[in-house]
């Protein structure tokens, strides 16, 4: 999720409060991230936002050593990961260990993470943290 808009404003406001919010649909209770105008599983309306437990597992990861945009020059090297939340939705995120970019050989698919929040380019966003060994 790149920028704040009418769909993501509630999500980013939740981040400021330390909450990882998921949308839940009215018909079947599906949970989704990132936010969308309707449920992407069944097409029904979004009924409410619910707070995720913030736990997940690493599905994939990569070390970024060259910033994709000038705004990220100050952050390289950083690690990006695909994390599956315990509730099911998939999240593309930064990955940290002890508040820093982890060494590549210290990360593996299947490792558990818990989401915290950091300021990136002036916006509070969820960032996954590897559990201590
Ligand atoms: Zn649904």
């Amino acid at each position: 999720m790149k920028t704040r808009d009418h769909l993501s404003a509630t999500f980013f406001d939740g981040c400021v409060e330390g909450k990882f919010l998921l949308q839940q649909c009215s018909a079947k209770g599906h949970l989704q991230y990132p936010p969308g105008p309707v449920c992407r599983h069944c097409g029904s309306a979004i009924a409410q936002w619910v707070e995720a437990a913030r736990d997940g597992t690493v599905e994939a990861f990569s070390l970024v050593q060259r910033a994709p945009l000038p705004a990220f020059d100050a952050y390289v090297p950083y690690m990006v990961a695909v994390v599956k939340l315990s509730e099911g939705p998939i999240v593309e995120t930064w990955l940290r260990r002890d508040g820093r970019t982890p060494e590549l050989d210290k990360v593996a698919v299947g490792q558990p993470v818990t989401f915290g929040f950091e300021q990136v380019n002036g916006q509070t966003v969820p960032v996954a943290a590897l559990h201590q060994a």
Side-chain angles (χ1 to χ4, degrees):
M1 193 161 34
K2 294 173 184 148
T3 57
R4 185 182 175 99
D5 59 22
H6 73 286
L7 284 174
S8 62
T10 299
F11 177 82
F12 285 120
D13 288 347
C15 291
V16 171
E17 297 172 9
K19 297 175 181 176
F20 194 123
L21 297 176
L22 303 173
Q23 288 180 314
Q24 187 169 43
C25 81
S26 58
K28 303 202 172 188
H30 294 127
L31 295 169
Q32 74 176 7
Y33 172 90
V38 296
C39 177
R40 61 180 62 92
H41 301 283
C42 70
S44 67
I46 299 302
Q48 63 181 339
W49 294 81
V50 298
E51 190 174 350
R54 297 191 290 121
D55 294 321
T57 53
V58 174
E59 300 266 300
F61 57 93
S62 181
L63 187 64
V64 176
Q65 296 180 298
R66 183 179 302 176
L69 296 167
F72 292 93
D73 281 345
Y75 296 103
V76 291
Y78 58 86
M79 189 166 287
V80 293
V82 175
V83 169
K84 184 173 186 176
L85 293 175
S86 57
E87 293 85 354
I90 302 292
V91 181
E92 293 176 28
T93 180
W94 282 11
L95 187 61
R96 300 282 206 202
R97 183 188 183 97
D98 294 330
R100 304 191 326 258
T101 298
E103 294 172 37
L104 200 51
D105 63 354
K106 299 286 195 276
V107 186
V109 168
Q111 281 184 304
V113 296
T114 298
F115 278 87
F117 299 90
E118 290 185 26
Q119 286 266 339
V120 177
N121 288 329
Q123 181 158 271
T124 302
V125 298
V127 173
L130 291 164
H131 293 183
Q132 300 307 309

